Amino acid sequence: MPDETKSPPPPPPENEKPTADKPATPGGVKSTPSGSVQSETTTTPSKPSPSSETSTPPKAAAPATPAKPAAPAAAGHPAPPKPAGPVPTPWDSPLVAKYKREYGTGINPLTHLGQNYFEVDRSLIPEILQLLRDDEKFDYCVDLTAVHYPKREKQFDVVWVLYSFQRNERIRVKTQIADGETVPSSVPLWATCNWLEREVYDMFGIKFDGHPDLKRILLPDGWKGFPLRKDYGILQQDNEWVQINLGIESGQ
């Protein structure tokens, strides 16, 4: 076979000549003391990273928040009392004079923030309401409701709100009753009182004598308690009814 042609090695540097103990080596390699040959690796110095050259100086610490000054010591004088709110004042009119002559202390005419009303003894309620409807033309019963004052001896106010189309005027009639007392029904005077009296009974437990069908109107018949009484807790409920009829432990 013909001999392979080999490239001649490059000549040694001008200032260094090959000797017997230091023969010439190809470019890019170097000889080791044992006579073997290894590649010559050239290391390029690394450039500093831009981030190190342009490093952000540390931020200055935030200034400490100054302590709030202590509240000044309370003076030795108590706060002034709150101003009293509006209170009912006596109401006077030809209508008032007429009924005062007839019923005397049985009625107490008052006005409060432009609302005129009679405080009436419970025993006079049916008669006064009928006279206001027939003689004074208060022929529309706008509402019938109640208010609970648990600290009073007579805990409940029962209130009728009447309106006269002919007079374009409203009047309220109010009476006080103790817990357990009843009130004569007004259904014979205004048919709409049928539902209004049922609602008062449902929410307050007040009964109306002579009502044609007095039963609950919002809550189920077996419910215990009256939610609009002030002593009825806001989260109170009839757990027994809920468990029996809904099959759950609590309605809350």
Side-chain angles (χ1 to χ4, degrees):
M1 294 178 64
D3 294 334
E4 295 180 2
T5 305
K6 296 183 178 180
S7 301
E14 295 179 358
N15 57 355
E16 185 178 351
K17 293 183 180 180
T19 59
D21 59 345
K22 189 176 182 181
T25 56
V29 297
K30 62 179 180 179
S31 61
T32 62
S34 62
S36 62
V37 178
Q38 69 179 19
S39 300
E40 185 175 13
T41 304
T42 304
T43 304
T44 304
S46 60
K47 295 182 180 181
S49 62
S51 61
S52 62
E53 294 179 355
T54 60
S55 59
T56 305
K59 293 183 179 180
T65 304
K68 294 183 178 180
H77 304 289
K82 294 182 179 180
V87 295
T89 56
W91 170 37
D92 192 17
S93 73
L95 175 67
V96 169
K98 173 183 175 181
Y99 283 88
K100 283 294 287 183
R101 284 193 301 268
E102 187 167 353
Y103 295 100
T105 58
I107 64 170
N108 182 24
L110 297 169
T111 185
H112 181 62
L113 298 176
Q115 300 179 1
N116 301 324
Y117 62 96
F118 282 157
E119 286 184 342
V120 179
D121 186 89
R122 173 185 169 275
S123 62
L124 297 175
I125 281 293
E127 187 175 349
I128 295 293
L129 290 178
Q130 183 153 8
L131 288 172
L132 289 173
R133 187 196 70 170
D134 297 343
D135 295 355
E136 313 303 334
K137 307 305 178 186
F138 287 95
D139 47 3
Y140 173 36
C141 182
V142 178
D143 198 7
L144 194 169
T145 187
V147 188
H148 185 209
Y149 298 94
K151 296 182 179 181
R152 268 183 1 196
E153 181 181 357
K154 293 188 174 183
Q155 297 186 16
F156 296 97
D157 281 356
V158 183
V159 185
W160 291 258
V161 182
L162 309 179
Y163 178 73
S164 169
F165 289 96
Q166 181 174 314
R167 305 162 68 111
N168 189 24
E169 185 179 344
R170 290 176 189 263
I171 188 172
R172 290 159 174 79
V173 178
K174 182 187 301 186
T175 192
Q176 294 184 7
I177 61 170
D179 189 12
E181 283 190 310
T182 61
V183 181
S185 175
S186 300
V187 173
L189 298 175
W190 297 283
T192 187
C193 287
N194 187 322
W195 295 273
L196 299 176
E197 289 177 359
R198 285 178 59 189
E199 183 178 9
V200 172
Y201 166 70
D202 195 2
M203 295 291 105
F204 294 93
I206 297 172
K207 294 183 178 181
F208 294 85
D209 293 334
H211 189 283
D213 186 23
L214 189 62
K215 61 182 180 181
R216 290 190 183 268
I217 192 171
L218 298 175
L219 293 172
D221 290 336
W223 195 269
K224 296 177 182 178
F226 307 101
L228 289 188
R229 291 192 178 200
K230 299 290 178 60
D231 52 5
Y232 188 93
I234 193 170
L235 297 179
Q236 185 178 343
Q237 54 166 335
D238 187 346
N239 286 324
E240 180 183 354
W241 189 95
V242 168
Q243 292 166 8
I244 294 174
N245 293 276
L246 301 183
I248 58 177
E249 289 298 317
S250 172
Q252 301 295 335

